[in-house]
Amino acid sequence: MRYKSQLRSVLIIYDHELVLSLALLRLCSLSYCLSSLIIWPDFIMSSPSVFGVASFCIITGASRGLGRELALSLGSHLGDKSLMVLTARSSADLEDTSKQVSACSPGVTVKTVTGDLGDESKAEDAITRMFEGVECSQYQHAMLIHNAGSLGEMSYICDLSPGLQTLRQCFTLNVTSCMALSTKFLRVFPKRDGQRRTMVHISSLCAIQPMKSLSLYCSTKAARDMFMKTMAIEDSELRVLNYSPGALDTAMNDAIVTQAGDSELREKMAENKSTPYFLTTAATCKVLLKLLTEDTFESGKHIDYWDVEVPPKN
Amino acid sequence: MRYKSQLRSVLIIYDHELVLSLALLRLCSLSYCLSSLIIWPDFIMSSPSVFGVASFCIITGASRGLGRELALSLGSHLGDKSLMVLTARSSADLEDTSKQVSACSPGVTVKTVTGDLGDESKAEDAITRMFEGVECSQYQHAMLIHNAGSLGEMSYICDLSPGLQTLRQCFTLNVTSCMALSTKFLRVFPKRDGQRRTMVHISSLCAIQPMKSLSLYCSTKAARDMFMKTMAIEDSELRVLNYSPGALDTAMNDAIVTQAGDSELREKMAENKSTPYFLTTAATCKVLLKLLTEDTFESGKHIDYWDVEVPPKN
């Protein structure tokens, strides 16, 4: 469709020259007749809408906070015969999210997969269960939202626990399980005519800006951003987004305010709570949905909430 | 010294106004007299030279390629009573490097630590052995060169092995063991008057630019760059450098040329071998030593060989 619009624009440029008008009108008609015969690139010709179609959608870390809000927001935009797979560690909270999504979105079947993506021995099984019985041809849009993540140890580097196992847990949850899940997703949903695929990483400012006493979180977020960027260049028909949601009113933010090793960071985050920079999960979901709906972002890019919304004046 | 030069420059600006000359000359003399009384920041007052002093220097992955060259280049610049700790998996190759360093640098004691930093069960022990018997007060300069690293699996993301253990090995070698080693280094060598500390990560273009079929390597390098950046802001007196050495004539480059999943990347890297962009390990070490000697880089920055040298004309 984009190419068709361009063609029309080109024609209109010459339209003021009366001598060409008739010929152009005939050419326009001809272009419309021909358009059905022209071979448009697969993605443009066959990709369905972002929302309102039968979708398969995985959201990790969906038991609370931003993950729950994502499930509710996305759920209400999916079409009939959609399947939403929600995963988290906490079974009870996950069921709560599931019930809320089902109540708002009757056309969406919700499946819950309880499992700890930070536990190497359990993550692979959880990933397998997410796709059990899934037939890719049943969906017009497949989405994977990497939301699960852990802050890890919030100490200065000189104070980090020396054990590699402690470090590993954070990397398993934030990075390697995300990689394994992405690989599985791409295998179950390879490039296919008539199907759209979207992958979103709920990133952070920490992916691009170092923060004192958050070295683990910053490093894992940078790794995940880069992984997504690589995926974007490897698979040009997959829509990939590193979305940084802003400072949110969630348990994760509270954890930084109370536990971060750097007192300046703790104070800054606490002060932030009384400014317009502190967002609700609903506000950030709205911007993410706007980005996905408009679908004009550069695949693989890191986009912050404040790249979309106008920052408040000081 | 930097502050003194700035002061001199400021004075010279006004020197053309004859009426001020005499007063300025007096002021200059006064500033030099006063300089010995002024309290310069600790780092400027007490930090010894980068090279030529008794140094403690760890180089990981020192058995071959760039690691070996780094050991030889740095060894010849360390002062008497220096201790160089070389680590790698291969004992035989490591001993070869050790002999070569000892032959060129008689004032340097070389200690080898064989161990696999990619093996979680062995890495912690290897890290402990690197610092055994090390008394920080014996050295005027402590350096840690993170050179060890693995390309990991070089497949497209959709073809990556699904096992988390395979992914973990690459992350343990490239990231978490590097983190644990850094933590240990900062504990053995905390901020101390009269002592300089330098940490270098042998980074890569892959840390800032995604490359097809190198998602693992790119992600780990991005994580390591970010970890180093966080260290730089946490410890303003530690000199931190992410140095990207360029395309090198090493086994790692050969591995990409022969094994990378992306044929375009393989071809590009193979073609690169016959251009001036393909560097010897000696050439890139020269630039790294230049950066360390001049000591003007912004701590934590990612600096590429071609940011220092003038790229060849096409």
Side-chain angles (χ1 to χ4, degrees):
Chain A
M1 290 304 292
R2 230 176 288 163
Y3 287 5
K4 286 185 205 169
S5 308
Q6 279 171 2
L7 184 58
R8 238 181 297 175
S9 307
V10 170
L11 296 172
I12 287 163
I13 290 168
Y14 295 100
D15 202 30
H16 67 280
E17 298 186 45
L18 282 170
V19 72
L20 283 173
S21 293
L22 191 63
L24 280 168
L25 276 169
R26 293 189 64 161
L27 196 59
C28 283
S29 312
L30 188 65
S31 79
Y32 278 103
C33 295
L34 280 174
S35 65
S36 59
L37 301 173
I38 292 170
I39 299 164
W40 302 106
D42 279 354
F43 182 67
I44 293 166
M45 180 180 69
S46 58
S47 204
S49 302
V50 176
F51 293 119
V53 296
S55 303
F56 173 78
C57 175
I58 295 178
I59 303 171
T60 64
S63 60
R64 56 181 189 158
L66 179 57
R68 176 173 285 181
E69 188 71 46
L70 283 165
L72 290 165
S73 300
L74 285 169
S76 64
H77 284 75
L78 303 185
D80 278 348
K81 297 185 180 171
S82 289
L83 172 62
M84 182 177 271
V85 178
L86 304 177
T87 83
R89 280 173 299 180
S90 159
S91 174
D93 291 340
L94 199 56
E95 290 307 323
D96 266 359
T97 309
S98 170
K99 279 177 197 159
Q100 290 183 38
V101 174
S102 296
C104 302
S105 316
V108 178
T109 303
V110 185
K111 171 181 165 180
T112 57
V113 173
T114 309
D116 186 354
L117 293 174
D119 183 339
E120 219 173 66
S121 65
K122 293 174 185 164
E124 283 169 31
D125 172 59
I127 291 170
T128 304
R129 280 185 286 138
M130 292 178 207
F131 295 91
E132 249 165 18
V134 171
E135 174 48 59
C136 75
S137 62
Q138 291 177 326
Y139 307 102
Q140 290 175 272
H141 188 190
M143 299 179 81
L144 172 52
I145 317 288
H146 292 293
N147 170 64
S150 149
L151 288 162
E153 205 179 328
M154 290 183 276
S155 308
Y156 289 128
I157 292 168
C158 59
D159 296 328
L160 281 178
S161 303
L164 285 174
Q165 286 192 1
T166 319
L167 299 172
R168 186 222 300 173
Q169 195 181 13
C170 183
F171 272 87
T172 304
L173 175 55
N174 288 7
V175 191
T176 55
S177 71
C178 157
M179 289 177 167
L181 176 52
S182 303
T183 295
K184 178 78 178 175
F185 177 86
L186 294 179
R187 285 187 187 176
V188 177
F189 292 97
K191 174 189 163 187
R192 186 184 166 94
D193 280 353
Q195 192 169 60
R196 176 184 285 272
R197 294 168 304 148
T198 305
M199 205 180 299
V200 178
H201 163 215
I202 301 299
S203 186
S204 165
L205 182 58
C206 291
I208 55 171
Q209 187 176 303
M211 300 213 188
K212 287 179 185 177
S213 73
L214 294 186
S215 62
L216 278 185
Y217 190 62
C218 291
S219 304
T220 57
K221 283 288 167 184
R224 211 149 116 161
D225 260 28
M226 177 54 87
F227 183 74
M228 301 289 282
K229 282 182 208 292
T230 313
M231 195 143 43
I233 60 164
E234 282 185 7
D235 189 337
S236 60
E237 293 182 19
L238 178 74
R239 301 287 289 144
V240 180
L241 177 61
N242 287 305
Y243 176 63
S244 175
L248 299 176
D249 187 8
T250 60
M252 190 178 259
N253 192 81
D254 291 342
I256 298 175
V257 169
T258 55
Q259 298 164 34
D262 186 63
S263 60
E264 209 176 312
L265 177 67
R266 284 199 308 273
E267 284 157 23
K268 199 175 151 194
M269 295 293 279
E271 280 168 18
N272 209 14
K273 287 182 103 165
S274 55
T275 72
Y277 285 101
F278 198 63
L279 307 170
T280 61
T281 52
T284 205
C285 278
K286 198 174 160 190
V287 164
L288 175 59
L289 259 78
K290 185 182 173 189
L291 284 166
L292 294 178
T293 306
E294 290 178 354
D295 196 33
T296 52
F297 59 86
E298 181 190 328
S299 194
K301 206 172 171 190
H302 177 105
I303 300 178
D304 194 275
Y305 176 93
W306 296 110
D307 293 335
V308 180
E309 292 292 302
V310 180
K313 282 180 187 167
N314 288 328
Chain B
M1 291 305 291
R2 229 177 289 163
Y3 288 4
K4 287 186 204 168
S5 310
Q6 280 169 3
L7 185 58
R8 236 182 298 175
S9 308
V10 169
L11 295 172
I12 287 163
I13 291 169
Y14 296 98
D15 203 29
H16 66 280
E17 299 186 43
L18 281 169
V19 72
L20 284 174
S21 293
L22 193 61
L24 281 170
L25 276 169
R26 294 188 65 159
L27 197 58
C28 283
S29 313
L30 189 64
S31 79
Y32 278 102
C33 295
L34 281 173
S35 65
S36 59
L37 302 172
I38 292 170
I39 299 163
W40 301 107
D42 278 356
F43 181 68
I44 293 166
M45 180 179 70
S46 58
S47 206
S49 303
V50 177
F51 293 119
V53 296
S55 304
F56 172 77
C57 176
I58 295 178
I59 302 172
T60 65
S63 60
R64 57 181 187 158
L66 178 57
R68 176 173 285 182
E69 187 70 44
L70 282 165
L72 290 165
S73 300
L74 286 168
S76 64
H77 284 75
L78 303 184
D80 278 348
K81 298 185 182 172
S82 290
L83 173 61
M84 183 177 270
V85 178
L86 303 177
T87 85
R89 281 173 300 179
S90 159
S91 174
D93 291 341
L94 198 56
E95 290 308 322
D96 265 0
T97 308
S98 170
K99 279 178 197 158
Q100 289 184 39
V101 173
S102 296
C104 303
S105 316
V108 178
T109 302
V110 185
K111 171 181 165 179
T112 57
V113 173
T114 309
D116 186 354
L117 293 174
D119 182 339
E120 219 172 69
S121 65
K122 294 174 185 162
E124 283 169 31
D125 171 59
I127 291 169
T128 304
R129 279 184 286 137
M130 292 178 206
F131 295 91
E132 249 166 19
V134 171
E135 176 46 60
C136 76
S137 62
Q138 292 178 325
Y139 306 102
Q140 290 176 273
H141 187 190
M143 299 179 81
L144 171 52
I145 317 288
H146 292 293
N147 170 64
S150 148
L151 287 163
E153 204 178 330
M154 289 183 277
S155 309
Y156 289 128
I157 292 168
C158 58
D159 296 328
L160 281 179
S161 303
L164 285 174
Q165 285 193 2
T166 319
L167 298 172
R168 187 220 301 173
Q169 196 181 13
C170 182
F171 272 86
T172 304
L173 174 55
N174 287 8
V175 191
T176 56
S177 71
C178 156
M179 288 177 168
L181 176 52
S182 302
T183 296
K184 178 79 178 174
F185 177 86
L186 293 179
R187 287 188 186 174
V188 177
F189 292 97
K191 174 188 162 186
R192 187 184 165 93
D193 279 353
Q195 192 170 59
R196 177 185 286 272
R197 295 168 303 149
T198 305
M199 205 180 300
V200 178
H201 163 215
I202 301 299
S203 186
S204 164
L205 182 59
C206 290
I208 56 171
Q209 187 177 303
M211 301 215 186
K212 288 180 186 177
S213 73
L214 294 186
S215 63
L216 278 184
Y217 189 63
C218 290
S219 304
T220 58
K221 283 287 167 185
R224 213 149 115 160
D225 260 28
M226 178 53 87
F227 183 75
M228 302 289 282
K229 282 181 206 292
T230 313
M231 196 144 41
I233 60 163
E234 282 185 8
D235 189 337
S236 59
E237 293 183 19
L238 177 73
R239 302 285 291 143
V240 180
L241 177 61
N242 287 305
Y243 176 63
S244 176
L248 299 176
D249 187 8
T250 60
M252 191 177 256
N253 191 81
D254 291 343
I256 298 175
V257 169
T258 55
Q259 296 163 35
D262 186 63
S263 60
E264 210 176 312
L265 177 67
R266 285 200 307 274
E267 284 157 23
K268 199 176 150 192
M269 295 293 279
E271 280 168 19
N272 209 15
K273 288 182 103 165
S274 54
T275 72
Y277 285 101
F278 197 64
L279 307 169
T280 62
T281 53
T284 205
C285 279
K286 198 174 161 190
V287 164
L288 174 60
L289 260 77
K290 185 181 172 189
L291 283 166
L292 294 177
T293 307
E294 290 178 352
D295 196 34
T296 52
F297 59 86
E298 181 190 327
S299 194
K301 207 174 169 189
H302 176 105
I303 300 178
D304 194 276
Y305 176 93
W306 296 109
D307 292 333
V308 179
E309 292 293 303
V310 179
K313 282 180 187 169
N314 288 327

